[in-house]
């Protein structure tokens, strides 16, 4: 628990007066009170489960046809909605900045005297564990190396931002540009999506007395109709986006875990091994989710941070320490300087557009698809914090930790290629990237840091542990979020429902891997992000309307109090 502290908005002139709850429409009356679905909304649960079952059966029975359809769907989404994704993300980060400097920043997410449930260390640990997961491990080495490459071997430039800056050769300047681009895709823009969704859900749940569900943010727009078909449809879209988002990460993670186990034990890293790994990891995730936020999720999140410190320290000490520190500082300054124009950049040529679709648009879709899951989980652990603390904490702490991670992992790989014996870009790692062997690049980089086989095995084992544990925290958080949505806001849903949805996530990940691997995972993620992004925009509008309404009511209350004082 955090120590008691004074409310920054407790003065008479503050807008942080008592919460103004909306009328209770008895959402709890819509959940089942007996039978297997006890505590769940029957219609939403059966619809969501039925749609996922249909998807799993169709994809599993016709994998080749599914792979072809996935490819066509992704091409259409990228060509039609790419610019829309860019504009949406820029708008959300602008709103985050506005909230920090507005009087609404003083509002507390809950009653004025409420305080956070978790310490800042635990809070940030859970933010990082749920919001990053295994993606940063999968792309931490591979992504900067891809942007450093200048071969254009995939039919489009590897890094158009570096090319436009004149850094076309594989030099130190291009290495900085490569790492800066990785910062861009994992930094402020993506976390701004989580901020807006999370703060919206926390505001309506803890300050206005509505269920902790996506539908609640639409109350200022449609009132009590959020408890009808419109609200059900919004929450179902959130559930599906959550399942497909976490399934994508699981698919990426097991492919890398399988490669790591192959290097350590010789175990085959093929699809069947990956499916078995999915089953094992989902079982662990379900066990953690059943134990609840304050036990399993909190403990594993803190353990993640501890092991991560050991691994990061190994890269810092075993790698070119001074060069890495200098590289981090140089890249961070460059990122802060260029983050706004990078966010506003729109590809000017067909080849640049192909790159932007494959990388930036994919990342923005990933952040959007994950937003209902991460946003609701962040809201769940942030009750009692002020709007300003919430925005700054979520927008700064996790990205900064990710930047350090990328600078050490990606920076170590970049240094190896800059100093390769046959010249920059001629090392083993670059060959892996050009062959699209992304999962192995992480372990190959780690192998160069230690002097003997025993230490190499230990470091690789820790990386495999992190891959598993990062996913466990993301998965158990997602099952909690899904069941919270389907239970109309119950923050402690029954264990059997968490188990069921944990199985659903694993099933979706398995069939996607069999139907087309990484491309299938990415395509489904982008498709899921489209309807979810529309919901997020409506939620954002609902939040702004509610904040303006609360400010007006607070202003009227102060004027009334001032008038009463004058009369007396």
């Amino acid at each position: 628990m955090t120590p008691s502290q004074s409310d920054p908005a407790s003065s008479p002139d503050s807008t942080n007066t008592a919460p103004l709850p909306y009328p209770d429409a008895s959402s709890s009356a819509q959940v089942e009170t007996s039978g297997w679905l006890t505590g769940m909304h029957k219609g939403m649960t059966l619809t969501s489960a039925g749609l996922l079952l249909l998807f799993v059966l169709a994809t599993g029975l016709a994998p080749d046809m599914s792979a072809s359809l996935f490819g066509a769907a992704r091409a259409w989404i990228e060509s039609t909605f790419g610019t829309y994704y860019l504009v949406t993300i820029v708008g959300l980060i602008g709103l985050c900045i506005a909230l920090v400097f507005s009087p609404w920043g003083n509002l507390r997410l809950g009653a004025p005297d409420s305080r956070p449930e978790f310490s800042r260390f635990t809070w940030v640990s859970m933010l990082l564990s749920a919001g990053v997961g295994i993606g940063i491990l999968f792309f931490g080495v591979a992504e900067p190396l891809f942007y450093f490459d200048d071969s254009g071997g995939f039919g489009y430039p590897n890094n158009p931002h570096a090319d436009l800056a004149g850094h076309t050769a594989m030099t130190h300047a291009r290495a900085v540009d490569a790492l800066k681009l990785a910062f861009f895709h994992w930094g402020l823009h993506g976390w701004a999506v989580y901020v807006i969704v999370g703060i919206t859900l926390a505001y309506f749940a803890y300050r206005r007395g509505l269920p902790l569900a996506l539908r609640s943010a639409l109350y200022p727009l449609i009132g009590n109709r959020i408890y009808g078909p419109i609200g059900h449809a919004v929450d179902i879209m959130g559930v599906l986006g959550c399942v497909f988002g976490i399934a994508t990460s699981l698919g990426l993670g097991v492919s890398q875990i399988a490669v790591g186990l192959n290097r350590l034990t010789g175990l085959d890293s093929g699809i069947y091994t990956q499916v078995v790994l999915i089953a094992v990891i989902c079982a662990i995730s379900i066990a953690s989710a059943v134990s609840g936020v304050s036990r399993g999720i909190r403990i594993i999140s803190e353990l993640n941070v501890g092991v991560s410190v050991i691994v990061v320290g190994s890269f810092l000490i075993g790698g070119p320490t001074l060069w890495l520190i200098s590289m981090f500082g140089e890249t961070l300054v460059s990122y802060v300087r260029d983050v706004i124009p990078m966010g506003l950049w729109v590809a000017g040529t067909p080849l640049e557009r192909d790159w932007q679709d494959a990388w930036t648009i994919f990342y923005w879709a990933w952040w959007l698809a994950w937003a209902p899951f991460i946003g609701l989980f962040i809201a769940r652990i942030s009750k009692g914090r002020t709007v300003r603390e919430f925005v700054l904490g979520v927008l700064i702490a996790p990205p900064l930790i990710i930047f350090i991670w990328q600078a050490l992992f990606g920076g170590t790989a970049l240094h190896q290629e800059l100093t390769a014996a046959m010249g920059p870009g001629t090392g083993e790692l670059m060959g892996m990237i050009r062959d699209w062997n992304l999962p192995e690049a992480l372990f190959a980089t780690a192998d160069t840091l230690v002097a003997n086989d025993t230490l190499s095995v230990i470091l690789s084992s820790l990386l495999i542990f992190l891959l598993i544990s990062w996913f466990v925290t993301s998965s158990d958080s997602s099952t909690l979020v899904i069941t919270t949505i389907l239970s109309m806001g119950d923050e402690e849903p029954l264990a059997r429902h968490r188990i069921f949805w944990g199985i659903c996530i694993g099933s979706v990940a398995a069939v996607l891997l069999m139907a087309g691997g990484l491309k299938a995972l990415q395509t489904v993620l982008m498709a899921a992000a489209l309807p979810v992004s529309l919901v997020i925009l409506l939620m954002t509008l609902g939040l702004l309307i509610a904040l303006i309404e609360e400010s007006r009511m607070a202003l009227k209350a102060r004027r009334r109090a001032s008038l009463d004082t004058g009369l007396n």
Side-chain angles (χ1 to χ4, degrees):
M1 300 289 292
T2 7
S4 178
Q5 44 190 303
S6 60
D7 191 331
S10 58
S11 66
D13 294 330
S14 170
T15 59
N16 199 25
T17 55
L20 305 166
Y22 288 116
D24 182 11
S26 301
S27 63
S28 60
Q30 300 190 32
V31 301
E32 296 297 301
T33 57
S34 62
W36 194 86
L37 290 176
T38 298
M40 295 287 110
H41 185 282
K42 183 177 180 179
M44 287 199 300
T45 302
L46 294 180
T47 301
S48 301
L51 290 172
L52 287 174
L53 177 62
L54 182 63
F55 174 85
V56 168
L57 290 176
T59 306
L61 294 175
D64 293 336
M65 181 182 296
S66 299
S68 177
L69 290 174
F70 290 153
R74 179 171 182 177
W76 178 75
I77 292 171
E78 289 173 345
S79 62
T80 307
F81 296 100
T83 302
Y84 161 75
Y85 283 154
L86 294 174
V87 173
T88 297
I89 297 294
V90 170
L92 293 179
I93 195 171
L95 180 56
C96 287
I97 296 171
L99 287 175
V100 169
F101 292 100
S102 73
W104 296 323
N106 291 328
L107 291 176
R108 197 168 286 281
L109 300 172
D113 59 349
S114 62
R115 291 297 179 268
E117 178 182 358
F118 302 101
S119 68
R120 284 196 176 92
F121 173 78
T122 299
W123 184 56
V124 171
S125 296
M126 290 194 286
L127 288 178
L128 196 64
S129 295
V132 177
I134 52 185
I136 191 63
L137 277 164
F138 188 91
F139 287 108
V141 166
E143 189 176 357
L145 282 177
F146 182 91
Y147 301 149
F148 179 62
D149 188 14
D150 63 356
S151 66
F154 290 86
Y156 50 73
N158 289 71
N159 189 341
H161 291 276
D163 294 342
L164 291 172
H167 304 149
T168 56
M170 286 187 282
T171 61
H172 178 81
R174 189 175 179 88
V176 172
D177 286 339
L179 195 56
K180 176 177 67 178
L181 195 48
F183 281 15
F184 173 63
H185 286 152
W186 290 87
L188 299 178
H189 286 75
W191 283 89
V193 181
Y194 293 171
V195 166
I196 296 302
V197 175
I199 208 164
T200 300
L201 294 172
Y203 173 84
F204 283 104
Y206 301 131
R207 191 165 182 85
R208 307 304 291 266
L210 294 176
L212 186 60
L214 304 183
R215 68 178 68 216
S216 295
L218 304 185
Y219 191 94
L221 302 175
I222 62 175
N224 280 333
R225 282 180 291 170
I226 64 170
Y227 300 108
I230 297 176
H232 300 338
V234 166
D235 280 347
I236 288 172
M237 281 191 283
V239 167
L240 296 180
C242 181
V243 171
F244 288 124
I246 199 66
T248 300
S249 290
L250 177 55
L252 296 176
V254 295
S255 64
Q256 197 163 36
I257 294 169
V259 167
L261 291 174
N262 175 262
R263 293 174 69 93
L264 287 178
T265 66
L267 181 70
D268 177 66
S269 59
I271 187 65
Y272 294 108
T273 299
Q274 294 177 32
V275 170
V276 171
L277 285 171
I278 287 175
V280 172
I281 295 173
C282 282
I284 299 172
S285 301
I286 290 168
S288 175
V290 168
S291 67
V293 174
S294 298
R295 296 181 61 190
I297 297 176
R298 177 184 62 81
I299 293 170
I300 296 178
S301 296
E302 293 177 348
L303 181 61
N304 281 344
V305 173
V307 176
S308 296
V309 169
I310 296 173
V311 172
V312 166
S314 300
F315 273 75
L316 179 61
I317 296 171
T321 305
L322 295 179
W323 187 88
L324 289 173
I325 294 173
S326 174
M327 184 69 167
F328 170 72
E330 187 176 356
T331 305
L332 185 61
V333 170
S334 183
Y335 170 76
V336 172
R337 182 191 65 216
D338 298 333
V339 63
I340 294 178
M342 289 177 74
L344 297 174
W345 182 74
V346 177
T349 68
L351 291 181
E352 290 176 351
R353 183 55 188 254
D354 288 344
W355 175 89
Q356 192 170 46
D357 288 342
W359 289 93
T360 301
I361 301 302
F362 164 69
Y363 269 117
W364 287 180
W366 194 348
W367 290 102
L368 288 166
W370 266 49
F373 146 47
I374 300 298
L376 196 149
F377 180 76
I378 294 175
R380 168 68 179 80
I381 63 175
S382 301
K383 181 179 181 180
R385 299 189 184 276
T386 64
V387 168
R388 184 171 292 111
E389 180 185 13
F390 183 104
V391 174
L392 292 177
V394 178
L395 201 59
I396 294 177
L400 184 59
I401 294 171
I402 291 172
F403 293 166
I404 294 172
W405 184 284
Q406 289 176 318
L408 295 178
F409 282 62
T412 298
L414 288 169
H415 185 267
Q416 291 179 23
E417 288 299 325
L418 280 169
T419 58
M422 301 297 292
T426 62
E428 175 190 18
L429 296 176
M430 189 60 74
M432 292 179 179
I433 300 305
R434 289 172 178 169
D435 291 338
W436 204 242
N437 190 5
L438 306 187
E440 194 164 357
L442 171 65
F443 296 99
T445 303
D447 284 346
T448 65
L449 299 178
V450 291
N452 59 61
D453 292 341
T454 301
L455 292 177
S456 177
V457 169
I458 292 173
L459 184 54
S460 293
S461 298
L462 289 175
L463 288 171
I464 292 173
F465 171 82
L466 279 180
L467 284 165
I468 295 173
S469 62
W470 281 121
F471 174 74
V472 166
T473 51
S474 295
S475 181
D476 57 18
S477 302
S478 69
T479 57
L480 179 63
V481 165
I482 290 170
T483 49
T484 297
I485 292 175
L486 294 177
S487 64
M488 302 292 288
D490 182 1
E491 297 181 14
E492 294 296 336
L494 295 177
R496 63 172 175 263
H497 302 308
R498 305 185 202 185
I499 293 171
F500 173 79
W501 286 101
I503 294 172
C504 286
I505 290 170
S507 301
V508 171
V511 298
L512 285 174
L513 281 174
M514 292 186 288
L518 179 59
K519 289 185 178 179
L521 292 165
Q522 292 176 326
T523 300
V524 171
L525 185 74
M526 295 189 72
L530 184 57
V532 169
S533 67
L534 298 176
V535 171
I536 292 173
L537 293 179
L538 290 174
M539 292 172 61
T540 304
L541 178 60
L543 174 65
L544 292 175
I545 292 173
L547 289 173
I548 292 172
E549 175 191 47
E550 181 167 347
S551 294
R552 287 175 177 172
M553 294 181 71
L555 180 60
K556 289 180 179 179
R558 288 198 299 271
R559 287 176 175 172
R560 189 179 303 112
S562 177
L563 181 60
D564 291 344
T565 302
L567 292 175
N568 293 331

